[in-house]
Amino acid sequence: MEIKNFSMDYYDEVYELWKKTGLTVTKSDSREGVKIMFERNPDLFLIGIENDKLVCVVYGGFDGRRGFVHHLAVDPQYQRKGLGKMMMEELVKRFKRMNVEKIHLFIEKRNLGVIEFYKRLGWYLRDDLVMMSFVPDEENEKE
């Protein structure tokens, strides 16, 4: 598999992969939302191509202090082949080059099965934090 930087030319394929894998996609995952995130973090938005087909994606965000992992998805036909691990290793390598000291990710409770995947990669559960959200524009859907 070849890991490449995302470009907006792949947006439709990425969006379909997110939906195909059951990730929750919201307004922030619209073309406009993704474009904003991509422009802020162009070297942290990665796609995996195998046989000219997009088979996985992950994008990272950096707020100047911490790194964040968003929407790792591997096409179900290509899961359990180490591709998700490859994507995460590449993303972590890029975070390290930026001197990011800590990286966070969020897992939806309905997808708790992926916890073991991340544990195998060296991630650990936090029980000292509670996540809260606020949507300033009531018309936005919950994220």
Side-chain angles (χ1 to χ4, degrees):
M1 177 183 70
E2 177 186 8
I3 297 175
K4 299 173 30 170
N5 284 358
F6 171 82
S7 79
M8 288 304 295
D9 295 337
Y10 286 98
Y11 172 79
D12 291 332
E13 290 175 76
V14 165
Y15 188 85
E16 287 305 313
L17 181 59
W18 287 336
K19 287 176 48 180
K20 182 178 186 179
T21 59
L23 284 174
T24 299
V25 290
T26 63
K27 187 175 182 178
S28 63
D29 300 310
S30 68
R31 184 178 297 277
E32 297 76 25
V34 167
K35 186 173 189 265
I36 290 167
M37 183 68 167
F38 171 61
E39 288 174 350
R40 293 178 79 117
N41 300 279
D43 294 328
L44 299 175
F45 201 145
L46 308 174
I47 56 173
I49 306 291
E50 190 161 292
N51 299 322
D52 296 321
K53 178 182 179 188
L54 184 129
V55 296
C56 49
V57 61
V58 66
Y59 75 92
F62 179 52
D63 67 5
R65 198 181 104 155
R66 300 283 190 243
F68 295 88
V69 177
H70 301 276
H71 289 1
L72 172 64
V74 178
D75 186 303
Q77 293 179 323
Y78 291 82
Q79 291 177 1
R80 304 203 182 282
K81 297 181 179 188
L83 303 183
K85 178 181 178 186
M86 288 173 59
M87 295 295 280
M88 290 300 295
E89 287 173 346
E90 179 63 26
L91 182 59
V92 167
K93 183 169 51 170
R94 292 177 184 216
F95 277 132
K96 285 181 179 180
R97 282 195 299 243
M98 299 171 74
N99 296 314
V100 173
E101 294 180 18
K102 189 178 284 185
I103 307 165
H104 301 287
L105 60 84
F106 303 100
I107 299 170
E108 294 176 296
K109 284 189 175 186
R110 65 177 181 77
N111 196 17
L112 292 178
V114 302
I115 289 174
E116 291 306 314
F117 165 78
Y118 286 109
K119 282 183 176 179
R120 286 192 303 273
L121 297 182
W123 293 74
Y124 60 92
L125 286 171
R126 301 277 305 256
D127 61 4
D128 58 329
L129 300 173
V130 173
M131 182 182 168
M132 296 178 69
S133 297
F134 175 77
V135 180
D137 180 356
E138 291 182 28
E139 292 179 16
N140 284 337
E141 57 193 278
K142 289 183 181 178
E143 297 183 47

